Amino acid sequence: MKKHNFSAGPAILPQSVMQEAAQACIEFNGMGMSLLEISHRSKQFDAVEAEARALVHEIGGFDDRFAVLFLSGGASTQFALAPMNLLKDGEKAAYVDTGVWASKAIKEAKLFGNVEVLASSKEANYNYIPKGYHLPYDVAYLHLTSNNTIYGTQLHEFPKSPVPIVCDMSSDMFSRPFDVEQFGLIYAGAQKNIGPAGVTVVIVRKDLIGRSERKLPSMFDYKLHMENGSMYNTPPVFPLYVTMLTLRWLKEQGGLNAIQKHNEEKAAILYNEIDANPLFKGTVAVEDRSLMNVCFLPTNPAHEEPFMVAAKAAGIDGIKGHRSVGGFRASIYNAMPQSSVQVLVDVMREFAKQHG
Ligand SMILES: *Cc1c(COP(=O)(O)O)cnc(C)c1O
C-alpha cells in the first residue's frame, strides 16, 4: 500500500516526478542509455541544467542580477561557503538564532569573521521566532533561516533589512512567493521541498560574489561555479534532473501563488484539528506556525505510543517528532496532497473518540 509520507526530509515528491525519474534511469530521452550513464557534458544533460536554472529564475522571479548554482554538499556546506565568499576577514555578519540549523550556520561563520547574534529563542527551545530586534547597518549581511524544520516555526514576514539577507530556505524554498529584492544569497538543500538529496540550490547576487576578497579553494568559490555553469566538476546529475522535474511540476501547478494557497489550506486543516481536539496541542507560538512542518504533542504523554500505532495502521509514515521536541511532526511540503492531511486528521478524530 502506498504510504502517506509525512517525513521531514528527504521528503515526499510528486508521484509523476518519481515515475518520470524512474523511466530516465532505464532510458533517457531516447538516447538508448540511462541518465545515470551519460556524460554531464552531453547536450542532453546540458539542456537539463539549463532548464532547471531557467525554472528557478522564472518561478522565483530572479532576474539576471542573480546567479543560480546547483552544488553538492548540502545546506550544511553553505553554512561555511556563505561567509567564506561574502564576509571579509575581521568584518561582522548578523545572525538570528532560531534553531539547530541556524546555530550551526553561526558556528561556521565564526571561522571566517565576527558574528553578532541579534536574537535567539533558544531559552524557549526555539518555539517562537524572535522579532523586534535591532537591524544593524554595519554588517556584511543578515543571515536568517526562513523555516525551522525541527521546531515547526516559520518566518512569515522577512524583516526590512538595510543589508542583503542571506537565507537558509532549505525547508520552505518555493512553498510561497517572496520579494527577491532583499536577498543577497539563498540556499536550500533540495531534499525537503524541491527535489531529492544530493543537490543544493544556491541563488546568489552576482555583485556580492568575491566580496570577501579571500583566496578560496576552487570548489568553495561561487565565482568559479558561476563561470562554469555549475559544471566545474561533475554536478549531481540525477538529483539535478529530479529537481528539474519537480520545478516543472511546480510550474504546472501554477507556481508560487497557487502552491501557497494549497499549502495554506493543508496547514489550516491540520492546525484546526490540533486546536479543536482535546487530545493534542501545538508546540509553537501560533503566529509563527510553519506551513511546512506541523509539530504537536499529545496532551497525555501516555497517548503517544497508541497514536503512533493508530497512525501507522492508516498508512501514515514519518510523523515521529524530532528528539529535541518529542511528540509528532507532520511535514506537509508542496507535494503532499490535501487528501493525505485529511487521513491524518481523521485518525486524530477517531483517536479522540476512542481515548477521549
Ligand atoms: C535539513 C536542513 C539543513 C541541512 O541540510 P543538509 O542538506 O542535510 O546539509 C539545513 N537547514 C535547514 C533549515 C534544514 O531543514
Side-chain angles (χ1 to χ4, degrees):
M1 163 173 125
K2 182 78 189 147
K3 296 265 176 71
H4 304 284
N5 181 7
F6 288 89
S7 168
I12 188 168
L13 289 171
Q15 196 58 33
S16 60
V17 165
M18 286 182 285
Q19 264 153 10
E20 205 168 341
Q23 180 51 43
C25 285
I26 309 295
E27 182 181 357
F28 180 57
N29 222 359
M31 289 177 77
M33 289 182 279
S34 163
L35 173 66
L36 303 179
E37 58 183 351
I38 64 165
S39 168
H40 61 292
R41 310 267 177 214
S42 62
K43 70 175 192 313
Q44 287 86 350
F45 188 72
D46 226 31
V48 170
E49 190 281 332
E51 183 172 350
R53 186 156 33 89
L55 283 166
V56 171
H57 277 289
E58 181 185 346
I59 292 169
F62 297 101
D63 57 38
D64 59 12
R65 286 171 299 161
F66 294 90
V68 174
L69 312 176
F70 301 105
L71 308 179
S72 44
S76 300
T77 298
Q78 299 307 315
F79 294 161
L81 295 201
M84 265 190 210
N85 282 269
L86 266 48
L87 186 61
K88 294 186 176 102
D89 252 342
E91 207 180 15
K92 199 161 65 176
Y95 279 69
V96 180
D97 175 21
T98 52
V100 161
W101 299 119
S103 61
K104 285 185 172 171
I106 290 167
K107 177 171 171 247
E108 302 293 297
K110 283 179 176 167
L111 298 170
F112 303 100
N114 297 320
V115 171
E116 184 178 344
V117 178
L118 302 181
S120 171
S121 48
K122 187 172 186 191
E123 86 291 346
N125 196 31
Y126 299 115
N127 70 4
Y128 70 99
I129 302 272
K131 294 170 206 73
Y133 45 84
H134 165 71
L135 289 164
Y137 285 78
D138 61 338
V139 294
Y141 61 79
L142 166 65
H143 183 282
L144 301 168
T145 311
S146 55
N147 185 72
N148 300 281
T149 326
I150 292 173
Y151 314 91
T153 62
Q154 189 174 21
L155 205 54
H156 291 298
E157 212 171 317
F158 288 96
K160 290 267 166 280
S161 172
V163 296
I165 293 175
V166 171
C167 192
D168 176 1
M169 285 199 189
S170 292
S171 52
D172 68 351
M173 176 95 192
F174 287 172
S175 67
R176 55 174 171 172
F178 54 95
D179 176 13
V180 304
E181 289 304 320
Q182 285 213 82
F183 293 92
L185 169 65
I186 291 168
Y187 58 90
Q191 71 274 17
K192 307 289 173 33
N193 203 33
I194 48 175
V199 64
T200 311
V201 179
V202 175
I203 303 154
V204 56
R205 231 174 63 197
K206 290 173 184 168
D207 64 310
L208 296 175
I209 293 179
R211 193 188 172 283
S212 75
E213 294 167 6
R214 188 176 274 118
K215 278 212 176 88
L216 294 172
S218 304
M219 283 299 289
F220 300 167
D221 190 347
Y222 290 149
K223 184 158 182 277
L224 205 79
H225 289 298
M226 177 180 69
E227 287 170 354
N228 288 278
S230 303
M231 302 252 197
Y232 175 72
N233 72 324
T234 316
V237 170
F238 186 65
L240 177 47
Y241 175 67
V242 182
T243 298
M244 187 279 283
L245 293 179
T246 310
L247 294 170
R248 256 191 206 164
W249 171 87
L250 179 54
K251 186 181 165 183
E252 279 161 20
Q253 302 306 300
L256 299 188
N257 285 313
I259 207 75
Q260 179 184 37
K261 185 165 172 287
H262 171 69
N263 288 333
E264 283 173 351
E265 284 168 5
K266 283 182 299 185
I269 291 170
L270 192 45
Y271 283 120
N272 286 343
E273 182 60 25
I274 290 166
D275 291 338
N277 191 320
L279 268 61
F280 300 97
K281 59 180 183 205
T283 60
V284 303
V286 170
E287 71 272 19
D288 299 326
R289 282 174 165 179
S290 169
L291 302 189
M292 298 278 97
N293 312 97
V294 178
C295 295
F296 56 106
L297 298 170
T299 43
N300 177 352
H303 284 154
E304 188 159 329
E305 274 297 315
F307 182 70
M308 283 303 258
V309 171
K312 197 171 171 216
I316 289 167
D317 195 82
I319 60 161
K320 188 170 172 51
H322 189 274
R323 62 189 179 280
S324 60
V325 178
F328 313 108
R329 170 176 54 175
S331 297
I332 52 174
Y333 299 117
N334 287 354
M336 169 66 65
Q338 189 170 312
S339 55
S340 289
V341 175
Q342 194 58 52
V343 169
L344 174 57
V345 164
D346 290 345
V347 173
M348 291 165 76
R349 284 191 190 150
E350 187 55 35
F351 191 79
K353 266 191 219 152
Q354 286 178 12
H355 296 81

